[in-house]
Amino acid sequence: MATNRTLTMIKPEAVAAGHTGKIIDMIIEAGFKVKAMKLTQLSKERAGEFYEVHKERPFYGELVDYMSSGPIVAAVLEKENAVADFRALIGATDPAEAAEGTIRKKFAKSKAENAAHGSDSDDNAEIESNFHFSAKELVG
Ligand code: UDP
Ligand code: MG
């Protein structure tokens, strides 16, 4: 995958609260193009696989339970400097530390239930895109 793409998930608490449309609007307003998008729900096994890198962290079990607790919206986003620019748009992991105007500042409920995921590197953007989407599901 090109280095101008990133993978996001609108997380269960944000979808359940009806924030999906507002978050997608912020993403598009910030200049990202949606290359693929789906509403889906992760099983515990799939959520565990997605967050395998955090397996040894104390919050892993709760994270897996949370991320499999309800529907999410996964999307591949395209923009120059996508990974870094999207991390800036979502804000810090803990909404208490997230900058004004960021997705997490506006919509996150807590450090765990923090509204949206964003890939942390180009390599992980590709891995995470392939986790959610097949090549034929990407437009353009
Ligand atoms: N998380 C948590 N407690 C923590 C750190 C992280 O519940 O102390 C959750 C949170 O949902 C976060 C996810 O685990 O988004 C992945 O953590 P990471 O450090 O990768 O944060 P992110 O890249 O999402 O900002
Ligand atoms: Mg991360």
Side-chain angles (χ1 to χ4, degrees):
M1 191 167 73
T3 59
N4 56 354
R5 289 184 186 170
T6 192
L7 183 285
T8 189
M9 296 182 290
I10 303 173
K11 296 189 180 186
E13 104 281 1
V15 173
H19 297 320
T20 302
K22 285 169 275 184
I23 291 172
I24 293 169
D25 211 35
M26 285 180 71
I27 290 170
I28 291 168
E29 284 288 317
F32 292 87
K33 286 208 165 111
V34 178
K35 302 298 287 183
M37 180 172 277
K38 69 170 74 163
L39 179 72
T40 186
Q41 183 163 355
L42 297 173
S43 64
K44 277 197 185 194
E45 291 69 26
R46 289 267 294 162
E49 188 188 333
F50 187 92
Y51 283 107
E52 189 130 36
V53 63
H54 292 311
K55 200 165 52 188
E56 306 305 330
R57 308 279 289 276
F59 57 83
Y60 178 72
E62 282 180 25
L63 177 59
V64 168
D65 286 347
Y66 164 56
M67 287 302 294
S68 58
S69 67
I72 61 166
V73 173
V76 176
L77 306 175
E78 188 169 88
K79 182 183 184 296
E80 200 178 313
N81 202 32
V83 166
D85 284 4
F86 193 71
R87 297 287 309 192
L89 180 64
I90 59 176
T93 306
D94 185 344
E97 293 164 14
E100 285 299 331
T102 60
I103 288 171
R104 283 169 168 171
K105 181 72 175 184
K106 284 190 176 179
F107 299 115
K109 280 171 58 181
S110 67
K111 191 173 185 180
E113 298 187 343
N114 60 1
H117 168 84
S119 306
D120 63 5
S121 67
D122 290 339
D123 285 350
N124 283 334
E126 179 162 9
I127 291 166
E128 292 171 3
S129 176
N130 291 335
F131 178 92
H132 281 290
F133 299 97
S134 66
K136 69 177 189 300
E137 290 180 285
L138 271 69
V139 297

